[in-house]
Amino acid sequence: MKAYLAFADGTLLEGISFGAEGRSAGEVVFNTGMTGYQEVLTDPSYAGQIVTLTYPLIGNYGVNVDDIESRRVQVAGFVVHELSPTFSNWRASESLDAFLKRHNIVGITGIDTRELTRRLRHHGVMMGALSTNETPEELFERLRAHTSAYDDVDWVRRVTTPEAYVWGPEKRDAKYRIALLDCGVKYNILRELADRGARTTVFPATATAQEILADDPDGVFLSPGPGDPNLLGYAVDTVKQVVGSGKPVMGICLGNQLLGCAFGGTTFKLPFGHRGANHPVKDLTSGRVVITSQNHGYAIDGDSIGDPNVEVTQINLNDGTVEGLRHRELPVFSIQYHPEASPGPTDSRFFFEQFLKVIEERKR
Amino acid sequence: MVIGSGPIVIGQAAEFDYAGAQACRALREEGVSVVLVNSNPATIMTDVEMADRVYIEPLTPAFLTKIIAREKPDGLLPTLGGQTGLNLATELATRGILDDYNVKLLGTPLRAITRAEDRQRFRKLMRQIGEPVPESWIVEKDGELVELSRQSGLPWPLIVRPAYTLGGSGGGVAHTPEELIEIGQRGMRLSPRHQVMVERCLVGWKEIEYEVMRDANDTCITICNMENLDPMGVHTGDSIVVAPSQTLSDKEYQMLRSASLKIIRSLGIEGGCNVQLALDPKSFGYYVIEVNPRVSRSSALASKATGYPIARVASQIAIGLHLDEIPNRVTGKTLACFEPALDYCVVKIPRWPFDKFTSADRRITTQMKATGEVMALDRSFESALMKAVRSLEVGANSLRYKGASQWSDMEIESLLTTPTDERLFAIAEAFRRGLMIEEVAGLSGYDPWFLHKIRGIVQMEKRLRDHAADLNRDEAAGLLTEAKGLGFTDRTIAELTGRTERDIRALRTSLGITATYKIVDTCAAEFEATTPYYYSCYDREDER
């Protein structure tokens, strides 16, 4: 079946439908990772976005029951060059096509995704709409008149957990008790913490600092998440109070931006974001570079952070943007990329150990 | 001083010339004056403009010593001349020549090379860092070989690899104690150290390779990974290879990537390194097979496949630069410190000389027989495969192969089971005769994903033949677009539909089905490319 992908700049691409039939809209973004489509699809940080992968052959290894990063498929739509008609991998339980049908997500294949990526690189990310049952005119009309801009929506409220829940070992077996502010957490963050003996209570993004600190956790974790941090004043306030409590705090991705904002910084939108598994990040202390997994459309302006005790610890080698922050006196640090990987390189997993070490030291 | 790789022999060919030439250019750009030694004048690197001084002399310690005495180089870069360059550098170092003339060995330290190449020390190191290596035994005497062959409970079949040889020559798979003794004795004779390794045979496992780099600051990156279509048991130089891997999920990809980086770190390599791994197709189980602590045939392939100049960067690392101090020349803006993102598929097929050596044994095993290889890029696997097949110049314009239709079913079964240069064509022929994916997978050990793709090409042959009559404008458009996307040439389409090549070309051009050209830019279009190269495809946008 025919499907269309329309862009705010008037471009129309025709392809073939897969996954669910229907309509969707979102900010169109590209990811350059060559593996990990299942993790990308289920990552809450992609809420509200139509994702295209630059690697042309997708679906080869199917979909399995383990590699999910949240309760559902989060993307607004999925754009590929060639959907594999078959899949082969020992863990695969169904095809990508069946998986997207089951989760009611519209996909389109047969698109020149390199052309699409080049367009986004030139113009920056833009809004787009996908459809299997509208004429191009109807599609453009919907995109123009009936679709809210990505940056106007508080996506965090849409992906955060409605109720607090616990992940990890039983209380008596837990070495650490962590409180996590869920702005769109990926399961692998919880898995990494649990693997190291941490029992994590996951709080809704709207939880207050009092609620988060009520049970006297050993440390507080700020999760990644989707959307413009400027809409998250409530979470920034919470982070300010949490930091003020003196508890060890670690932030990832949006968590890095929330911390930056809490220390008086401002954020800006990147032209086409950082999404992929090959971003080089330099640690300014060691001089060493790690290859990181990234997924963000906004960044902290390092110069805007007023607090002289906050330093930029790492930068992106491609564009010099801030990749890590640290408070010189408080046990607080954050990174802009994904140490939990999934998908992507696992080279910076040691940050989880570092966080738990900070907790350990304070316990002594 | 740079040591070239000497004569082109089976198992070691022009890739070292490519690497050496790249290195000479890079070194001179950094203001280093280069003395090049190679015994083979029929190479690019020995062109007068490549180095400041060129010596065409036998690659022996005696001659090299004389050249060192005369030129008094500050450093020696041995990791670009394949095994020959490495072995010579080792000789010069152990004889004390390098110390006598105060020549610094550049790039990967010798002890790292020895640790990687001496199988016993390598295995010990792997055990120390917790990386799995298959059970194995080192044998240096006939008596030890006989003793081993009598041991009970050996994990037959066993693979025999001679130490320190080019392309693993002289090895083989032993199914019985008699075969073990025969192959083992031959291997010891061929090994300069009279040493062979006997190990658990992982025939049937997936063979995956990673090209990795490390600088003196311990920054490590992956250039690309590659999946061999031929499972373990066929030398990777004799395997059809695809980049990046196609059937690995992110978990498997990252597991093997992490292992490769851990290995290059533990060895202390400064430069490039190729890591070969065997992956169980039914679990996360894997074994480290071997590493090449230098630029190799695989790194030349990875370079061309990704646009990342491995030999150039390796030589810059060797003279002390860090990865984040080296620019990425393709984008001009970013640095050499990143991992290439491919937005196309790469297929490499070995070129065997069986058309020249007509009486040679066409079976391919653990000893490399290919004398060259071809590589093709496209947006689809099928088209990359078809382009590569055409580039082989074996008279095949597609997967239709001369004489294949005359093979008996028995012959096909044997061609699927026993790897030869004709296995790919036998797979296609098997599908023409209606064999199931599972049957072909069972016989060949190929992953079903690749077999589906090959069957798709065969099915297109039939569809073109079936629609020969109604190749009118409307119906033709869809079919022709699809066939071109799968890499069918106008000539093959003409043969299958009973038209002329010129007819088909005119028809599709009138339908607007023409080739477009895309850029190899190392970064999947994320950054603009300034010095790129192109490949053809039948996708929408033309970037010329």
Side-chain angles (χ1 to χ4, degrees):
Chain A
M1 187 198 289
K2 207 186 270 188
Y4 289 112
L5 173 60
F7 291 87
D9 71 349
T11 309
L12 181 73
L13 298 175
E14 187 188 317
I16 297 156
S17 152
F18 77 100
E21 290 167 24
R23 307 163 182 198
S24 75
E27 183 178 67
V28 187
V29 298
F30 67 85
N31 180 307
T32 61
M34 296 182 285
T35 51
Y37 51 81
Q38 187 178 350
E39 292 90 332
V40 166
L41 290 168
T42 53
D43 176 352
S45 291
Y46 286 104
Q49 293 175 325
I50 293 175
V51 177
T52 185
L53 298 182
T54 58
Y55 189 68
L57 312 177
I58 301 298
N60 302 3
Y61 55 84
V63 168
N64 61 59
V65 293
D66 297 321
D67 297 347
I68 50 163
E69 287 303 324
S70 69
R71 281 171 296 127
R72 57 191 167 95
V73 176
Q74 302 281 359
V75 303
F78 198 39
V79 183
V80 302
H81 173 72
E82 181 188 322
L83 173 76
S84 182
T86 176
F87 60 93
S88 173
N89 188 281
W90 61 283
R91 289 192 302 151
S93 52
E94 65 182 323
S95 71
L96 175 58
D97 182 40
F99 179 69
L100 289 188
K101 276 197 174 72
R102 204 154 57 73
H103 287 272
N104 200 27
I105 300 294
V106 184
I108 183 169
T109 175
I111 295 295
D112 185 344
T113 46
R114 184 173 163 89
E115 177 190 20
L116 172 49
T117 303
R118 280 160 50 88
R119 189 171 291 276
L120 296 175
R121 183 184 82 207
H122 287 302
H123 298 262
V125 292
M126 54 184 144
M127 290 299 291
L130 257 176
S131 184
T132 61
N133 54 17
E134 283 165 298
T135 64
E137 296 71 34
E138 289 166 344
L139 187 55
F140 278 117
E141 174 61 17
R142 173 161 65 86
L143 182 58
R144 189 171 52 246
H146 307 286
T147 306
S148 31
Y150 175 79
D151 306 310
D152 294 343
V153 178
D154 178 356
W155 293 103
V156 166
R157 273 183 206 267
R158 300 198 184 186
V159 300
T160 188
T161 177
E163 305 283 338
Y165 65 92
V166 176
W167 184 299
E170 290 299 320
K171 236 178 202 154
R172 59 175 189 281
D173 301 325
K175 281 163 74 185
Y176 315 95
R177 288 180 308 112
I178 308 293
L180 181 141
L181 186 67
D182 176 20
C183 294
V185 73
K186 281 165 69 188
Y187 285 164
N188 219 42
I189 293 170
L190 302 172
R191 293 183 194 118
E192 291 286 352
L193 288 169
D195 285 351
R196 292 166 177 79
R199 173 179 165 90
T200 306
T201 308
V202 181
F203 288 94
T206 49
T208 63
Q210 290 70 28
E211 287 167 333
I212 292 167
L213 299 171
D215 204 21
D216 193 27
D218 297 326
V220 179
F221 205 102
L222 310 175
S223 85
D228 189 344
N230 282 325
L231 304 176
L232 306 178
Y234 58 95
V236 173
D237 287 342
T238 309
V239 172
K240 274 183 193 161
Q241 291 174 48
V242 166
V243 168
S245 74
K247 292 273 181 204
V249 177
M250 172 172 167
I252 290 179
C253 199
L254 180 63
N256 177 57
Q257 295 161 18
L258 292 178
L259 261 184
C261 293
F263 289 125
T266 55
T267 57
F268 63 96
K269 187 162 188 166
L270 296 162
F272 47 84
H274 294 171
R275 293 176 190 88
N278 66 346
H279 284 263
V281 168
K282 184 166 186 164
D283 185 303
L284 296 175
T285 317
S286 70
R288 220 202 249 189
V289 180
V290 283
I291 301 298
T292 66
S293 174
Q294 302 214 356
N295 168 23
H296 63 109
Y298 302 85
I300 274 279
D301 175 0
D303 296 334
S304 70
I305 299 174
D307 192 328
N309 274 322
V310 177
E311 65 174 335
V312 173
T313 53
Q314 304 176 61
I315 55 160
N316 188 302
L317 274 188
N318 289 339
D319 62 7
T321 51
V322 174
E323 293 288 358
L325 297 173
R326 182 180 80 99
H327 195 283
R328 290 196 178 88
E329 280 158 13
L330 298 169
V332 173
F333 71 95
S334 58
I335 45 180
Q336 184 57 54
Y337 50 92
H338 293 269
E340 81 282 10
S342 200
T346 52
D347 304 8
S348 39
R349 259 204 304 227
F350 61 87
F351 278 109
F352 291 102
E353 266 120 61
Q354 194 170 312
F355 179 51
L356 298 175
K357 218 174 101 197
V358 169
I359 289 176
E360 200 76 60
E361 277 162 11
R362 289 183 55 86
K363 276 184 164 178
R364 273 203 294 267
Chain B
M1 183 159 137
V2 173
I3 308 180
S5 61
I8 289 175
V9 294
I10 294 180
Q12 170 173 309
E15 62 267 20
F16 297 112
D17 188 23
Y18 169 69
Q22 238 185 48
C24 289
R25 270 197 212 106
L27 291 173
R28 293 180 82 193
E29 277 168 31
E30 298 293 338
V32 174
S33 89
V34 178
V35 178
L36 177 79
V37 193
N38 197 351
S39 60
N40 182 359
T43 50
I44 306 288
M45 62 160 85
T46 49
D47 285 2
V48 281
E49 68 269 21
M50 290 307 295
D52 296 272
R53 307 276 269 174
V54 177
Y55 285 86
I56 298 174
E57 297 291 351
L59 291 177
T60 62
F63 274 96
L64 288 178
T65 307
K66 277 188 191 166
I67 297 165
I68 288 172
R70 188 164 154 188
E71 294 289 340
K72 304 211 168 44
D74 299 314
L76 172 66
L77 184 52
T79 44
L80 296 158
Q83 198 63 47
T84 311
L86 273 186
N87 288 353
L88 277 168
T90 314
E91 261 318 314
L92 291 170
T94 47
R95 288 190 188 185
I97 312 282
L98 298 184
D99 285 343
D100 289 352
Y101 290 94
N102 211 5
V103 182
K104 194 169 174 254
L105 201 64
L106 301 174
T108 302
L110 264 194
R111 58 188 152 70
I113 291 169
T114 330
R115 243 188 324 227
E117 300 232 312
D118 181 305
R119 296 186 190 281
Q120 215 153 0
R121 293 179 65 182
F122 178 68
R123 296 171 58 79
K124 196 174 151 211
L125 179 67
M126 289 304 101
R127 279 194 294 268
Q128 275 167 12
I129 64 167
E131 288 299 328
V133 281
E135 301 97 309
S136 85
W137 300 264
I138 302 283
V139 180
E140 290 176 330
K141 294 189 183 71
D142 285 7
E144 293 169 10
L145 192 64
V146 174
E147 210 172 291
L148 173 65
S149 72
R150 289 182 186 149
Q151 266 185 38
S152 61
L154 289 174
W156 297 102
L158 295 167
I159 195 159
V160 184
R161 295 165 189 255
Y164 300 94
T165 59
L166 297 172
S169 57
V173 177
H175 296 84
T176 62
E178 293 72 36
E179 281 179 9
L180 176 61
I181 290 168
E182 187 202 321
I183 300 169
Q185 285 178 341
R186 185 181 69 204
M188 280 190 279
R189 273 202 308 278
L190 291 169
S191 163
R193 304 279 164 89
H194 206 262
Q195 189 187 85
V196 294
M197 185 168 69
V198 180
E199 70 179 17
R200 168 197 278 270
C201 180
L202 297 165
V203 165
W205 285 39
K206 289 184 187 191
E207 187 162 3
I208 311 288
E209 298 172 72
Y210 280 73
E211 288 295 322
V212 287
M213 299 204 82
R214 177 178 174 275
D215 68 18
N217 201 29
D218 207 24
T219 294
C220 295
I221 57 167
T222 314
I223 306 308
C224 91
N225 86 336
M226 293 174 265
E227 178 172 4
N228 291 9
L229 270 68
D230 297 277
M232 289 288 295
V234 170
H235 189 284
T236 172
D238 273 346
S239 265
I240 300 177
V241 171
V242 62
S245 60
Q246 299 298 325
T247 66
L248 267 54
S249 70
D250 189 63
K251 294 280 177 293
E252 291 150 338
Y253 181 102
Q254 302 302 343
M255 173 179 78
L256 300 183
R257 177 187 174 279
S258 297
S260 305
L261 293 188
K262 199 162 147 197
I263 292 165
I264 193 175
R265 282 209 163 99
S266 70
L267 288 168
I269 285 164
E270 288 168 33
C273 172
N274 162 263
V275 182
Q276 292 169 26
L277 306 121
L279 176 67
D280 183 355
K282 295 250 165 1
S283 79
F284 282 120
Y286 73 91
Y287 284 112
V288 179
I289 301 305
E290 65 169 38
V291 301
N292 287 308
R294 52 176 169 87
V295 302
S296 59
R297 186 192 46 72
S298 299
S299 69
L301 171 64
S303 266
K304 277 286 168 201
T306 59
Y308 190 102
I310 294 174
R312 156 180 281 277
V313 174
S315 48
Q316 286 167 306
I317 289 174
I319 55 168
L321 290 174
H322 292 161
L323 281 162
D324 58 315
E325 294 167 340
I326 302 169
N328 176 350
R329 305 222 315 166
V330 176
T331 64
K333 286 193 202 77
T334 55
L335 299 169
C337 191
F338 78 112
E339 302 199 343
L342 277 56
D343 56 5
Y344 48 84
C345 182
V346 184
V347 174
K348 171 217 102 175
I349 307 182
R351 177 62 163 92
W352 293 276
F354 303 133
D355 50 343
K356 306 236 167 33
F357 302 107
T358 45
S359 61
D361 181 356
R362 301 180 90 117
R363 281 178 299 180
I364 51 180
T365 57
T366 52
Q367 177 182 337
M368 184 170 158
K369 289 185 176 174
T371 47
E373 59 193 28
V374 300
M375 183 197 82
L377 275 54
D378 210 308
R379 296 279 282 170
S380 73
F381 167 77
E382 294 89 336
S383 186
L385 182 74
M386 295 271 263
K387 280 179 181 173
V389 164
R390 283 196 287 283
S391 310
L392 284 172
E393 295 183 352
V394 292
N397 198 24
S398 68
L399 297 185
R400 293 165 3 115
Y401 185 66
K402 204 174 151 214
S405 57
Q406 270 98 59
W407 285 333
S408 70
D409 289 354
M410 286 281 283
E411 277 173 306
I412 288 188
E413 192 174 321
S414 132
L415 283 167
L416 294 180
T417 319
T418 311
T420 68
D421 58 317
E422 291 174 321
R423 177 145 82 170
L424 175 64
F425 300 108
I427 290 172
E429 183 62 24
F431 288 131
R432 269 178 221 117
R433 297 188 191 180
L435 261 74
M436 310 285 285
I437 300 269
E438 295 70 26
E439 291 174 274
V440 178
L443 293 169
S444 64
Y446 273 41
D447 188 282
W449 188 84
F450 297 109
L451 296 175
H452 269 280
K453 293 283 178 186
I454 294 169
R455 192 177 63 172
I457 294 173
V458 170
Q459 285 167 340
M460 177 53 78
E461 291 172 4
K462 183 169 187 311
R463 284 169 63 197
L464 286 165
R465 214 181 269 122
D466 291 350
H467 288 81
D470 46 28
L471 213 59
N472 62 40
R473 290 183 63 98
D474 285 350
E475 288 183 24
L479 191 63
L480 282 178
T481 307
E482 223 181 302
K484 295 306 285 184
L486 294 177
F488 279 78
T489 58
D490 293 345
R491 191 195 300 173
T492 304
I493 298 172
E495 283 165 11
L496 290 164
T497 54
R499 312 274 175 120
T500 66
E501 189 176 346
R502 181 185 292 213
D503 274 355
I504 297 295
R505 180 177 288 263
L507 175 64
R508 71 163 171 87
T509 325
S510 74
L511 291 165
I513 306 165
T514 53
T516 54
Y517 293 83
K518 297 216 179 276
I519 288 175
V520 174
D521 61 9
T522 71
C523 59
E526 186 166 10
F527 305 101
E528 199 158 351
T530 52
T531 53
Y533 46 98
Y534 293 84
Y535 63 91
S536 71
C537 62
Y538 280 80
D539 213 350
R540 219 177 89 113
E541 189 189 38
D542 195 331
E543 293 176 32
R544 282 176 301 172

